[in-house]
Amino acid sequence: MRPALTTLRRLRLGAGLCAFLCLQGTALAQDAGASAAAPRLAVGDRMSYRVEERADQQRHEATATVLAIEGDRVRMRYQRTDAAAEPTEQVMTTALNNVVNGSDGSRYEPHLDQLRFPLQVGQAWTTEAASTAASGAQSRLSIDRKVVAIETVRVSAGEFTAYRVESKGWINGVNWRGAAMRLEQVLWYAPEPGRIVKLESRVWRNNDPFRHTVIEALGFQSN
């Protein structure tokens, strides 16, 4: 079975959106030898962001609100602000690893770790995870990640000192046919206020551009 292109696109878009659900953190000196601890999450924390699909020339805004923290799981309400759809539940770990994507219902096993704390320049790891979309389409993800720098990044929510994490990898179908998709991603995690403030990802299929997504923070509220 081969899923529709929209399903494949959501696999990558959803992963990018999940990464934005990290809130309240600690201050960072702009020092390559510094390290950043995992953020502290609290019920009621909320952030908003803009999602731009450059290949499709589409854009929307969304909000994410922490509903509950149960052990190492964080339940959140995900709501697009440009649609009348009912809000959906999103789940992540307290270490900011994605478990359930609120935008399309995709699930990751064991989780999709885009960040590993404590963060430090030079740190590298590989993400190995399985993804199951709401449609039932299954994929395997293998992504190499590295913290390459601490730099200043400016987005709609303000200017932040952030860790730059670069990623390259592949998405392979399990129960669908077709060429593997190549992924490149850059994200900027700011320990103060403790979130990913910008993420840009590109996906190629058969060496052809397939998706180009840019997400940036618009604002936040912490309890």
Side-chain angles (χ1 to χ4, degrees):
M1 182 180 77
R2 182 176 181 177
L5 291 183
T6 53
T7 298
L8 297 177
R9 287 170 174 168
R10 285 175 178 173
L11 291 175
R12 289 314 314 151
L13 173 60
L17 288 174
C18 287
F20 263 72
L21 304 182
C22 45
L23 310 167
Q24 191 176 351
T26 55
L28 167 72
Q30 194 163 359
D31 176 2
S35 63
R40 297 180 300 273
L41 305 173
V43 173
D45 285 352
R46 177 179 178 179
M47 75 167 296
S48 60
Y49 49 88
R50 179 185 299 114
V51 180
E52 182 181 358
E53 290 295 334
R54 292 186 174 177
D56 298 335
Q57 298 184 339
Q58 296 182 1
R59 175 184 297 188
H60 72 268
E61 296 180 5
T63 61
T65 305
V66 176
L67 299 177
I69 301 175
E70 302 163 346
D72 68 343
R73 292 292 188 267
V74 180
R75 290 196 301 106
M76 309 184 79
R77 181 177 64 246
Y78 171 83
Q79 177 69 70
R80 284 181 58 148
T81 58
D82 66 339
E86 292 294 320
T88 57
E89 183 178 65
Q90 186 139 349
V91 181
M92 62 187 297
T93 73
T94 53
L96 310 183
N97 296 325
N98 307 321
V99 180
V100 179
N101 170 28
S103 67
D104 63 9
S106 294
R107 294 178 176 271
Y108 300 96
E109 178 61 41
H111 47 247
L112 191 64
D113 54 342
Q114 298 190 102
L115 295 171
R116 286 191 181 179
F117 295 98
L119 283 179
Q120 189 168 18
V121 173
Q123 176 185 1
W125 68 96
T126 299
T127 295
E128 298 282 354
S131 172
T132 302
S135 66
Q138 299 175 359
S139 304
R140 294 286 314 176
L141 296 87
S142 180
I143 305 171
D144 294 323
R145 307 186 189 275
K146 185 174 183 178
V147 183
V148 299
I150 297 174
E151 58 189 28
T152 300
V153 60
R154 183 164 187 82
V155 296
S156 297
E159 185 174 284
F160 302 91
T161 299
Y163 286 85
R164 178 187 175 109
V165 181
E166 296 184 354
S167 304
K168 294 183 179 181
W170 296 88
I171 307 168
N172 293 278
V174 174
N175 64 348
W176 52 271
R177 296 180 180 179
M181 293 181 284
R182 178 167 60 90
L183 164 73
E184 293 186 4
Q185 176 183 282
V186 181
L187 64 82
W188 289 262
Y189 172 80
E192 181 59 51
R195 71 189 67 179
I196 295 173
V197 293
K198 185 177 181 179
L199 181 149
E200 182 168 2
S201 67
R202 296 172 183 264
V203 177
W204 292 263
R205 192 177 189 194
N206 292 322
N207 293 319
D208 295 323
F210 184 71
R211 181 63 90 198
H212 182 190
T213 305
V214 179
I215 307 173
E216 71 169 67
L218 298 177
F220 62 94
Q221 177 181 342
S222 299
N223 284 346

